[in-house]
Amino acid sequence: MTETTTEIGAAVGLRTTNAGIGTVSATLVDRVSSWLTQAALSSMCLEDLVRGACERISAAGVPIARVHLSFAMLHPLYDALGFTWRPQSGLTIQGYRHDAGSPETFLLSPYYALLSNNLSHLRRHILLDGDAEFPVFEDLRKEGMTDYLAFLQPFGDKSVQGMMGSWSTRAKDGFTDPMIEALLHIQNHLAVAAKMAVLDKLSNNMLTTYLGGDAGKRVLNGQIRRGDGETIRAALVMGDMRHSTMLAEKEGRQVYIDTLNDFFEAIATPFNRHGGQILSFLGDGFIAVYPCDRHREPSQEACRAAMSAVRQAQTRVEELNQRRQKNKQSWIHYGIGLHVGNVMFGNVGLEERLTFSAFGSAVNEVARLQLLSKKFDSEVIASQAFVNYSGGDWTTLGQEKLRGVRQKVTILSPRPLGPEQRVEEVVEDLRRHALSEAERLILLHRDAAAGKPSSPMLNKLMR
């Protein structure tokens, strides 16, 4: 594009060919570009960036009736994030998952035509009748669109991230050349601002995924040197899958990995919500913490939240095992240890290779409590300290000498829930699971649909 901003502004100031549209403001087109530049410097989230850009382009007099923008993302759940904006309904957002969607849909899209032909833009008038060149044009025709301009904007020569999108209008004669010039000009500024927002979100996504929510925030806030950290009080959870070595040798690598992921999805998910944080996965086990203040009431809240998650995890693993049994797969056994105490939380390792974790005597003790589940043939073992805060109905198993602890520790196991209590736990788990599905998209933006209930037990309740 050879025109300067001033030349573009003068061009788009001309009256459009559709008398009902009005004029495009040269000043406001310049203001949109300036706003996008400031947005790139202010770490604005992608959602606010797209919404703000669309509203300002429309306010400048460009008759956009539908805008679609998609951003390729480096994220463990999603290939891309899509935004669709209309003046009447505002912004809607969709995450395109790795394992969902029809590839044929993309192959028949204008975006595939752009990629396969190495084009940066594709402009088409939407005809009122006749065969549609692309299936999406049928939908645009129903919305009364007359003109369509698709574009592709990589975020670097070799980058897997990028932006593709389209502008559509209902203007009688479609987009005028000055309008297209204005859109192309704004598009470049939008791409720069979007790249900054995507990179910012990417760093958050990766740190949250690999370090956990709280640890990721700490690293982003500058807690990155070896030895950085603090001592915190927390309810501690350590879980472990039994007979994993035998399973790996018998079933092979891929079956073992798939089984391990199914196990973690079932047992660990409840501990990563409502104050709980999965700190790390250790082989076929995990450790989670519920940070709290040192007073009794916060300690009670943390331990009760951890115990509620235990109940949900037990139900989830039971449902997993029932599915596995139907598929003639082996039953998964596990052990969980529960404790409360002070832990050191921070960076340890080499100067050039660090990990963010919790360590200290309380962590060692919860690991040994988890191992005692083998000796007492109980899925869940808790210390007296944990039970003092969590409350509930427990069976005392005895006193055990934990290595590194001078005095013997009283250990307990929770008594089974009655049928009514189990139903309540399942309903609560599904409610939280729905919120968790929404929160996965919230990692990328805010507006996401809640997940659908899938428990057979809840289906019975809803009949």
Side-chain angles (χ1 to χ4, degrees):
M1 185 159 46
T2 58
E3 295 92 335
T4 64
T5 300
T6 302
E7 289 169 337
I8 292 172
V12 298
L14 297 175
R15 191 169 188 82
T16 67
T17 56
N18 187 352
I21 297 299
T23 58
V24 179
S25 168
T27 300
L28 292 180
V29 168
D30 289 341
R31 287 291 182 90
V32 175
S33 300
S34 298
W35 181 83
L36 287 168
T37 300
Q38 291 300 316
L41 299 174
S42 64
S43 299
M44 183 178 294
C45 74
L46 202 52
E47 177 187 357
D48 291 340
L49 176 69
V50 172
R51 179 186 290 109
C54 292
E55 290 173 348
R56 284 164 174 79
I57 293 170
S58 179
V62 181
I64 50 173
R66 178 185 180 274
V67 179
H68 180 264
L69 299 173
S70 292
F71 301 90
M73 304 292 290
L74 183 59
H75 189 272
L77 292 174
Y78 300 98
D79 280 322
L81 187 64
F83 298 84
T84 303
W85 181 88
R86 295 176 176 86
Q88 298 81 8
S89 57
L91 193 67
T92 58
I93 307 168
Q94 181 179 5
Y96 303 104
R97 297 177 69 100
H98 298 305
D99 54 355
S102 170
E104 289 78 14
T105 302
F106 180 72
L107 294 177
L108 297 174
S109 71
Y111 298 143
Y112 181 74
L114 286 172
L115 290 167
S116 59
N117 293 290
N118 195 29
L119 300 174
S120 59
H121 296 86
L122 184 150
R123 193 263 185 102
R124 293 289 188 272
H125 289 287
I126 308 298
L127 302 178
L128 293 177
D129 50 24
D131 294 334
E133 182 179 358
F134 302 101
V136 69
F137 287 178
E138 292 283 1
D139 297 329
L140 295 177
R141 182 184 292 169
K142 293 176 183 177
E143 291 190 53
M145 302 301 170
T146 59
D147 206 351
Y148 175 89
L149 176 63
F151 62 88
L152 177 66
Q153 181 68 59
F155 289 166
D157 294 338
K158 298 181 180 180
S159 175
V160 297
Q161 283 83 49
M163 177 179 72
M164 61 176 62
S166 64
W167 315 97
S168 302
T169 184
R170 292 192 183 93
K172 180 180 178 181
D173 298 319
F175 290 122
T176 64
D177 285 345
M179 291 176 188
I180 293 176
E181 286 290 338
L183 289 174
L184 296 182
H185 174 69
I186 292 172
Q187 178 185 308
N188 290 334
H189 291 270
L190 176 61
V192 172
K195 179 178 181 180
M196 297 302 295
V198 168
L199 290 176
D200 183 64
K201 185 57 63 178
L202 172 62
S203 62
N204 278 280
N205 289 343
M206 292 300 100
L207 287 172
T208 297
T209 300
Y210 288 98
L211 294 181
D214 185 67
K217 291 177 183 177
R218 289 169 182 262
V219 170
L220 284 174
N221 289 334
Q223 199 169 323
I224 58 175
R225 294 182 299 177
R226 184 171 64 170
D228 281 350
E230 60 180 309
T231 298
I232 65 171
R233 181 171 177 78
L236 305 171
V237 182
M238 183 166 286
D240 183 74
M241 186 170 77
R242 303 292 184 235
H243 313 306
S244 57
T245 302
M246 184 187 306
L247 177 66
E249 293 177 350
K250 178 182 178 182
E251 303 291 349
R253 176 178 61 86
Q254 192 58 51
V255 172
Y256 172 70
I257 292 175
D258 291 342
T259 300
L260 194 58
N261 282 327
D262 287 344
F263 169 70
F264 283 142
E265 184 69 25
I267 196 170
T269 297
F271 300 105
N272 207 38
R273 308 170 182 161
H274 300 276
Q277 304 169 34
I278 301 289
L279 286 186
S280 60
F281 293 96
L282 313 168
D284 56 3
F286 68 93
I287 181 170
V289 297
Y290 287 77
C292 59
D293 292 333
R294 289 175 171 78
H295 302 296
R296 181 168 184 79
E297 185 174 343
S299 298
Q300 287 176 330
E301 291 178 0
C303 291
R304 288 169 182 171
M307 193 59 215
S308 176
V310 168
R311 297 294 193 186
Q312 294 164 31
Q314 288 179 298
T315 301
R316 292 168 66 93
V317 175
E318 182 178 335
E319 291 189 346
L320 170 63
N321 278 327
Q322 289 172 357
R323 294 195 300 270
R324 289 178 61 83
Q325 192 173 42
K326 290 179 181 178
N327 295 329
K328 301 186 183 305
Q329 296 172 304
S330 60
W331 200 270
I332 295 178
H333 300 276
Y334 62 93
I336 294 176
L338 300 168
H339 192 37
V340 62
N342 296 331
V343 297
M344 290 174 282
F345 191 52
N347 287 314
V348 293
L350 306 175
E351 289 184 354
E352 65 277 7
R353 178 62 178 89
L354 297 171
T355 186
F356 211 103
S357 188
F359 44 94
S361 59
V363 176
N364 297 333
E365 290 162 19
V366 75
R368 286 157 194 155
L369 287 167
Q370 179 270 129
L371 290 174
L372 286 175
S373 64
K374 297 179 180 179
K375 176 179 177 179
F376 290 94
D377 193 25
S378 176
E379 293 175 346
V380 182
I381 296 290
S383 66
Q384 183 69 61
F386 180 90
V387 172
N388 288 343
Y389 290 114
S390 70
D393 199 6
W394 298 79
T395 298
T396 300
L397 300 178
Q399 291 189 323
E400 287 287 322
K401 183 71 168 68
L402 302 183
R403 183 163 54 89
V405 181
R406 292 182 180 180
Q407 297 180 338
K408 287 186 176 182
V409 175
T410 300
I411 60 170
L412 305 95
S413 177
R415 290 176 180 168
L417 292 177
E420 292 184 0
Q421 292 172 303
R422 286 176 59 81
V423 168
E424 290 177 0
E425 289 289 344
V426 171
V427 173
E428 176 66 9
D429 176 40
L430 289 169
R431 185 185 68 80
R432 294 184 179 184
H433 183 58
L435 291 175
S436 177
E437 286 296 323
E439 288 165 0
R440 292 179 181 181
L441 273 180
I442 290 172
L443 292 176
L444 306 179
H445 58 283
R446 290 190 301 116
D447 297 333
K452 295 181 180 180
S454 59
S455 166
M457 187 173 297
L458 185 63
N459 290 338
K460 293 180 181 179
L461 293 173
M462 294 174 66
R463 287 177 183 172

